[in-house]
Amino acid sequence: MGRGFFLTFEGLDGSGKTTQMRKLAAWLENRRHRITVTRQPGGTRIGDRIRQLLLDSRTENLSARAELGLMFSDRAQAIAEVIAPALEAGKVVLCDRYTDSTEAYQGGGRQLGSDVVLNLHNVMCGGLQPDLTILLIPDFDASLRRARRRNDRMQKSGTDENRFERENEDFYRRVYEKYREIAARDHLRVVTIEGEAPIEEIHQRIVKLVEERLER
Ligand code: TYD
């Protein structure tokens, strides 16, 4: 689709991907690339409403399949409204989470399996795949600790987007394993950045990688 470049960021909650995405966006703008930055769930007016439903910890009794469907409804809307038009216009699209998140969280975490997710991806997203996915895999325990700290902070400040962050360690272990499986399977698209390193060092690695891919 289009002439642009579609770049996604993936990782566990607390992996630092949002920070890295912001830094890369600033770097790209400095180099005069035209960019569009978005996130999932959310990124459109309809998507923001779906996001609220999905992430609010007061949402009770949402079945795993209903959750899966909402993730893809959000994504279909984002593709139609934001991603496809930006790619058509030749922009670099940076997206915080995409279908790999659904495969990891709903397929792995919720144990719905990869097949159902990949089938829905074909139907709902027309199979639109990122040109490059940066998967941040820091140390499992450290990222779990960061996610929990953020959870506490958000609860104190009254912002409530913690439905997933409340999941137990087994859930996150399954998400983690599924991310690894995706990275091994799609090793040309997915580049994994492993382990703990300073923010600036990881940023430099990402810049190098993106520069290389954009030149191709
Ligand atoms: P977000 O605030 O984007 O978390 P983070 O900053 O850690 O990325 O919240 C998104 C949450 O939704 C996150 O816990 C992962 C979950 N999620 C899914 O379970 N499936 C999906 O398809 C997507 C896009 C997100």
Side-chain angles (χ1 to χ4, degrees), residues 9-18 39-42 51 54-55 67-68 70-72 74-75 96-107 110 117 147 150 154 161-165 171-172 175 179:
F9 279 78
E10 293 285 351
L12 285 182
D13 308 68
S15 62
K17 71 187 160 38
T18 308
R39 68 168 176 182
Q40 293 184 357
R51 179 183 174 91
L54 279 166
L55 302 191
E67 181 180 283
L68 174 71
L70 286 170
M71 292 294 179
F72 273 112
D74 164 72
R75 187 160 302 129
D96 193 342
R97 298 191 179 281
Y98 189 65
T99 295
D100 295 327
S101 281
T102 316
E103 192 178 345
Y105 284 76
Q106 280 67 49
R110 298 274 189 244
V117 175
R150 187 169 63 172
M154 281 169 97
E161 287 201 334
N162 296 310
R163 208 170 62 83
F164 285 97
E165 266 117 339
F171 176 90
Y172 276 106
V175 174
Y179 267 135

Side-chain angles (χ1 to χ4, degrees), residues 8-27 37-41 51 55 94-98 101 105 134-138 146 150 153-154 161 165 179 199 202-203 206:
T8 61
F9 279 78
E10 293 285 351
L12 285 182
D13 308 68
S15 62
K17 71 187 160 38
T18 308
T19 307
Q20 290 299 337
M21 200 177 92
R22 277 197 212 113
K23 284 177 77 71
L24 180 67
W27 183 87
V37 179
T38 186
R39 68 168 176 182
Q40 293 184 357
R51 179 183 174 91
L55 302 191
L94 289 84
C95 190
D96 193 342
R97 298 191 179 281
Y98 189 65
S101 281
Y105 284 76
I134 294 170
L135 171 60
L136 297 178
I137 303 223
R146 280 193 293 268
R150 187 169 63 172
R153 252 199 329 268
M154 281 169 97
E161 287 201 334
E165 266 117 339
Y179 267 135
I199 290 175
I202 292 183
H203 173 62
I206 292 175

Side-chain angles (χ1 to χ4, degrees), residues 45-180:
R45 280 181 70 178
I46 290 168
D48 285 339
R49 292 171 73 178
I50 298 175
R51 179 183 174 91
Q52 207 182 10
L53 189 65
L54 279 166
L55 302 191
D56 192 325
S57 46
R58 288 165 301 187
T59 297
E60 281 172 1
N61 276 330
L62 183 63
S63 81
R65 278 173 196 273
E67 181 180 283
L68 174 71
L70 286 170
M71 292 294 179
F72 273 112
S73 296
D74 164 72
R75 187 160 302 129
Q77 187 67 29
I79 291 172
E81 214 179 301
V82 179
I83 299 173
L87 291 176
E88 297 289 352
K91 292 185 176 177
V92 180
V93 176
L94 289 84
C95 190
D96 193 342
R97 298 191 179 281
Y98 189 65
T99 295
D100 295 327
S101 281
T102 316
E103 192 178 345
Y105 284 76
Q106 280 67 49
R110 298 274 189 244
Q111 297 178 288
L112 292 175
S114 289
D115 286 351
V116 63
V117 175
L118 299 178
N119 287 335
L120 268 180
H121 176 75
N122 278 332
V123 176
M124 300 286 285
C125 309
L128 175 67
Q129 286 288 30
D131 296 296
L132 173 65
T133 296
I134 294 170
L135 171 60
L136 297 178
I137 303 223
D139 173 66
F140 179 77
D141 295 314
S143 79
L144 206 62
R145 270 199 304 279
R146 280 193 293 268
R148 299 252 186 269
R149 265 206 303 278
R150 187 169 63 172
N151 187 356
D152 291 344
R153 252 199 329 268
M154 281 169 97
Q155 264 170 0
K156 277 180 200 129
S157 71
T159 343
D160 198 335
E161 287 201 334
N162 296 310
R163 208 170 62 83
F164 285 97
E165 266 117 339
R166 285 182 170 189
E167 288 296 333
N168 61 27
E169 192 170 326
D170 288 347
F171 176 90
Y172 276 106
R173 185 64 71 180
R174 288 194 297 273
V175 174
Y176 186 79
E177 296 300 332
K178 188 57 89 177
Y179 267 135
R180 291 198 163 283

